[in-house]
Structures are given as C-alpha cells and as structure tokens.
C-alpha cells in the first residue's frame, strides 16, 4: 500500500479532492490530506512539508488559485501548495 499525499488549494478544488480521496480509499491506499489534519504545534507549512516528505506518492491538483502564503520563514513568498510541490519534486 502506498502512502499518498494530496495537495491543492482547498476552496476552489474541494469537489475534486473529495472524488480523488473517495477513489483512493476504495483502492485501500493510505492517504494524507488536509481534511484529516488534527491540531498540531507546528506551523501549517511545516506540517505539510514534513507530510509530503514522508509519503511515497504526491498528487498535485492545480487550477485557479495560488493558495495561502505564510509570512514567517518564507522569503520567496511561496504558497503552501507550491512549497508542497517543491518538496515532492526535490524528494
């Protein structure tokens, strides 16, 4: 079973995320997605990047929005979604 990370902006792609999550669960895959996040002491970007690096497969869904841009420790002004993509690409 693969551990699969789902990455996208949320509000504009919620229905696409739901469909992908549904199908991956039907295939009995282990899925990591923001829908399943619980409270955490880490900043959202830190948690997301750690989760991407811990997964076997990265699924990026990209469309109309760029996503949240954290102000702290982000000199390039990247969105969390782009940070996730870059972490997966570098891995």
């Amino acid at each position: 079973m693969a551990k699969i990370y789902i990455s996208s902006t949320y509000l504009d792609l919620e229905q696409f995320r739901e469909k992908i999550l549904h199908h991956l669960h039907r295939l009995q895959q282990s899925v990591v997605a923001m829908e399943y996040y619980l409270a955490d002491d880490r900043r959202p970007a830190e948690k997301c990047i750690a989760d991407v690096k811990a997964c076997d497969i990265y699924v990026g869904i990209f469309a109309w929005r760029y996503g949240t841009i954290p102000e702290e420790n982000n000199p390039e002004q990247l969105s969390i979604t782009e940070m996730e993509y870059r972490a997966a690409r570098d891995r």
Side-chain angles (χ1 to χ4, degrees):
M1 173 179 0
K3 189 172 182 182
I4 303 170
Y5 188 88
I6 307 300
S7 173
S8 76
T9 53
Y10 186 76
L11 294 177
D12 57 333
L13 298 170
E14 183 178 3
Q15 63 184 325
F16 296 96
R17 293 178 65 88
E18 286 176 11
K19 288 181 182 185
I20 289 170
L21 292 170
H22 171 76
H23 288 293
L24 289 173
H25 285 298
R26 283 187 56 221
L27 294 170
Q28 298 180 337
Q29 299 303 309
S30 173
V31 179
V32 178
M34 69 174 80
E35 288 85 348
Y36 309 129
Y37 280 178
L38 301 173
D40 196 293
D41 291 338
R42 293 173 288 180
R43 302 247 179 243
E46 292 172 19
K47 172 147 180 55
C48 292
I49 299 308
D51 286 346
V52 167
K53 290 179 179 180
C55 285
D56 303 306
I57 298 171
Y58 167 88
V59 175
I61 310 164
F62 309 111
W64 304 278
R65 299 183 64 166
Y66 185 63
T68 301
I69 301 171
E71 292 181 20
E72 291 186 27
N73 301 321
N74 189 10
E76 294 181 78
Q77 296 296 291
L78 301 175
S79 71
I80 293 175
T81 306
E82 184 163 351
M83 289 179 191
E84 293 167 345
Y85 167 77
R86 288 182 179 200
R89 179 196 64 193
D90 293 346
R91 183 172 184 274

